[in-house]
Amino acid sequence: MTDKSGFETISNREHGLRRQLTSGQMSMIAIGGAIGTGLFMGSAYAIGYAGPSVLLSYAIGAIITLLLMGCLAEMTVAHSTSGSFGAYAEFYISPLAGFLVRYAYWAAIVLAVGTEVTAVAMYMKYWFANVPEWIWIVSFSSILIVLNAISVKTFGTFEYWFSTIKIGAIVGFIILAVYVVFGSGNPEYGVHNYTSHGGFFPNGLQGMWIAVIVSIFSYLSVEMIAVAAGEAQDPERAVKKAFRATIVRLVVFYLLTLALMLAIVPWVQAGHAQSPFVTVMQTIGIPGATGVMNFVILIAALSAMNSQLYITTRMMFSLSRGGYAPKSMGVLSKTGIPLNALLLSSSGIALATLLNVLYPESSFTLMMAISMFGAIFTWFMIFLTHYCFRRYHERNGERKLSFRMRLFPYSTLLGLVLMGAVMITTYFTEAFKMTLVFGVPFLVILSVVYGLFFRNSKPASLGAQRVEQGSGITGQASE
């Protein structure tokens, strides 16, 4: 089977989605997906583990992320489909690998939606301290589900503006922080805060490495650019542009922001449950600034949640079209939206609501730990898939790749080893022990299910899968 005919079989069965996302929207989606609860809220946990050495933690996380983006960009430029890394694993490794990647990732991001909506409820307490958190969870969730149900163009438009607000706020924060640190003349602020409370490594190298786990959670969702490419107007151009933009923005938005933050607020104050961004604003004492920053953090969480609903919907759609989920999950509405897959992918919100009611103080950490496995496993498999992808093309020489990951195979293998080390580390970290405790049995169960029900199955026919929500046939991929 040739590469072209073989992979086109997978691509064709996911036909029917509308190519309506512009190159500009794709770039904003890529960076916007990574600027959410992980940066604004998760960074507090990372600082608590590592102290000032969290800068190294996020730098290591950034290196892993950029390696991952390079691998994904190469494969996505070659094959743009909503099944993305799940479809690549299916073709270049095995059908079982594709099954495991898609279900593990879907479950992880469904739970990640829960962490974002839990954070939304926490942020709303700033203005409405006495309103039960579940009310905000239900209200905001309903709005975002409706936005995702209208059309991919509506999703792209709202995500573009969500991301614009986040990026604008971070740029404003950086400008303000640079002035405070270097222009205010206040001796309380400066790089001396990196070593004045227990040194740069107050919790040793172990604390620094544990914080890498949190950094990976912070960067999670940059991979959604590969999924969104299946609905991009010009996927090759959009993916290349998004990859280059992400390299610069990850370094600026994460590393520079954290460096300035720790120069203003000593890590012993920043590493608390409250967002360190809000702590900085309170420390500076600008009237009304804390409320503004809390609003921006709220937007960031809603944006990440919006993106995660999108990506889990497409992953379930891909599973259905591959014959690995009920046929109804692959049905498209008149506007090209897999509504049934969207509703199923909203189940993480219900779980978040339940956990928030039962365990209001620890629900965020619990959801983050449980969702971590699927994300780490998926990133690990993306590196493995890219290794197999490149070896396949070198062996067959069937196509010239217009975008290539540099320093292969060393760059890919480095990412693979680092992700494996991160995964193993979770077991020896109390806060993330549930990652492998939950994840390994989950993979075993998925493998058994695949062996019993799907090993010899065939993907459902394309025609049967393209029936609309009501009746008739969906339109061709348009625009």
Side-chain angles (χ1 to χ4, degrees):
M1 180 182 290
T2 67
D3 165 49
K4 184 176 180 181
S5 63
F7 200 88
E8 279 189 355
T9 300
I10 295 176
S11 297
N12 288 339
R13 73 188 187 209
E14 297 183 4
H15 186 72
L17 297 172
R18 310 293 178 88
R19 291 193 177 273
Q20 296 179 328
L21 295 175
T22 66
S23 178
Q25 288 173 333
M26 290 282 285
S27 294
M28 296 298 277
I29 286 170
I31 189 61
I35 302 176
T37 305
L39 173 60
F40 290 111
M41 197 74 181
S43 57
Y45 295 97
I47 292 169
Y49 284 120
S53 66
V54 74
L55 297 174
L56 291 181
S57 306
Y58 273 81
I60 294 171
I63 290 171
I64 296 173
T65 303
L66 296 179
L67 291 173
L68 181 100
M69 286 288 288
C71 294
L72 263 183
E74 182 176 324
M75 294 189 289
T76 304
V77 167
H79 311 295
S80 60
T81 180
S82 286
S84 59
F85 39 83
Y88 308 150
E90 177 182 343
F91 184 75
Y92 289 103
I93 300 180
S94 70
L96 172 61
F99 178 85
L100 293 177
V101 167
R102 277 179 281 205
Y103 263 113
Y105 186 74
W106 179 84
I109 304 303
V110 163
L111 290 173
V113 172
T115 68
E116 298 293 352
V117 76
T118 300
V120 166
M122 292 167 62
Y123 300 145
M124 291 303 293
K125 277 190 169 297
Y126 178 83
W127 296 289
F128 306 97
N130 297 321
V131 177
E133 293 184 2
W134 67 266
I135 292 179
W136 302 119
I137 292 176
V138 172
S139 300
F140 284 113
S141 300
S142 300
I143 293 171
L144 292 180
I145 291 171
V146 170
L147 288 179
N148 273 267
I150 296 173
S151 70
V152 69
K153 190 172 184 178
T154 302
F155 158 79
T157 299
F158 273 86
E159 191 53 36
Y160 180 90
W161 288 110
F162 276 156
S163 298
T164 299
I165 293 172
K166 291 188 293 186
I167 291 172
I170 292 178
V171 170
F173 177 87
I174 289 173
I175 294 172
L176 174 63
V178 167
Y179 169 75
V180 169
V181 174
F182 300 104
S184 68
N186 191 327
E188 292 183 10
Y189 308 136
V191 295
H192 61 82
N193 279 325
Y194 294 171
T195 57
S196 60
H197 297 274
F200 190 71
F201 294 93
N203 296 321
L205 291 175
Q206 180 182 4
M208 183 277 292
W209 178 250
I210 291 174
V212 173
I213 302 173
V214 184
S215 80
I216 295 298
F217 183 81
S218 300
Y219 294 127
L220 178 62
S221 287
V222 295
E223 72 284 347
M224 74 170 292
I225 190 69
V227 178
E231 294 175 89
Q233 294 175 356
D234 185 355
E236 181 172 337
R237 175 172 172 267
V239 169
K240 290 179 180 178
K241 180 180 178 182
F243 172 71
R244 296 187 182 100
T246 302
I247 291 176
V248 176
R249 290 170 180 171
L250 280 179
V251 172
V252 172
F253 293 155
Y254 275 86
L255 300 183
L256 181 56
T257 299
L258 286 171
L260 290 168
M261 183 188 304
L262 291 171
I264 296 173
V265 180
W267 76 270
V268 291
Q269 296 178 34
H272 294 158
Q274 176 177 261
S275 168
F277 284 81
V278 174
T279 303
V280 167
M281 289 303 184
Q282 291 174 342
T283 301
I284 296 173
I286 299 177
T290 304
V292 172
M293 184 54 66
N294 200 71
F295 171 76
V296 171
I297 297 172
L298 173 66
I299 292 295
L302 291 173
S303 169
M305 184 181 166
N306 188 42
S307 299
Q308 289 160 354
L309 282 174
Y310 168 83
I311 199 172
T312 50
T313 299
R314 269 55 184 184
M315 202 56 61
M316 181 52 62
F317 167 81
S318 176
L319 282 163
S320 175
R321 290 296 179 90
Y324 302 127
K327 292 181 181 180
S328 60
M329 297 298 136
V331 171
L332 296 174
S333 69
K334 292 181 180 180
T335 56
I337 300 296
L339 291 178
N340 293 329
L342 172 61
L343 293 176
L344 180 62
S345 298
S346 303
S347 58
I349 299 169
L351 179 59
T353 306
L354 179 62
L355 285 176
N356 190 265
V357 172
L358 296 177
Y359 310 103
E361 299 300 323
S362 59
S363 59
F364 179 82
T365 304
L366 179 63
M367 292 285 283
M368 186 167 71
I370 293 176
S371 68
M372 185 65 72
F373 177 80
I376 293 176
F377 174 73
T378 299
W379 280 30
F380 179 87
M381 291 298 292
I382 287 172
F383 286 116
L384 180 60
T385 302
H386 179 258
Y387 183 84
C388 296
F389 166 90
R390 182 67 76 85
R391 290 301 188 204
Y392 179 95
H393 287 289
E394 289 177 350
R395 185 170 62 251
N396 292 279
E398 293 179 354
R399 66 189 301 164
K400 182 179 179 181
L401 300 172
S402 62
F403 184 96
R404 296 175 71 88
M405 178 71 171
R406 295 182 180 180
L407 301 178
F408 179 87
Y410 307 108
S411 53
T412 302
L413 292 176
L414 175 61
L416 191 69
V417 170
L418 287 173
M419 285 309 303
V422 167
M423 187 181 299
I424 293 171
T425 302
T426 61
Y427 185 76
F428 300 97
T429 307
E430 187 62 32
F432 302 111
K433 195 176 184 71
M434 285 291 291
T435 301
L436 288 183
V437 171
F438 167 83
V440 172
F442 181 61
L443 274 190
V444 171
I445 292 171
L446 283 179
S447 300
V448 171
V449 169
Y450 177 85
L452 291 176
F453 300 103
F454 300 110
R455 185 174 56 183
N456 299 316
S457 67
K458 300 287 185 181
S461 67
L462 179 63
Q465 296 262 9
R466 290 179 57 210
V467 179
E468 281 189 15
Q469 196 76 6
S471 59
I473 302 296
T474 58
Q476 301 292 319
S478 63
E479 298 185 38

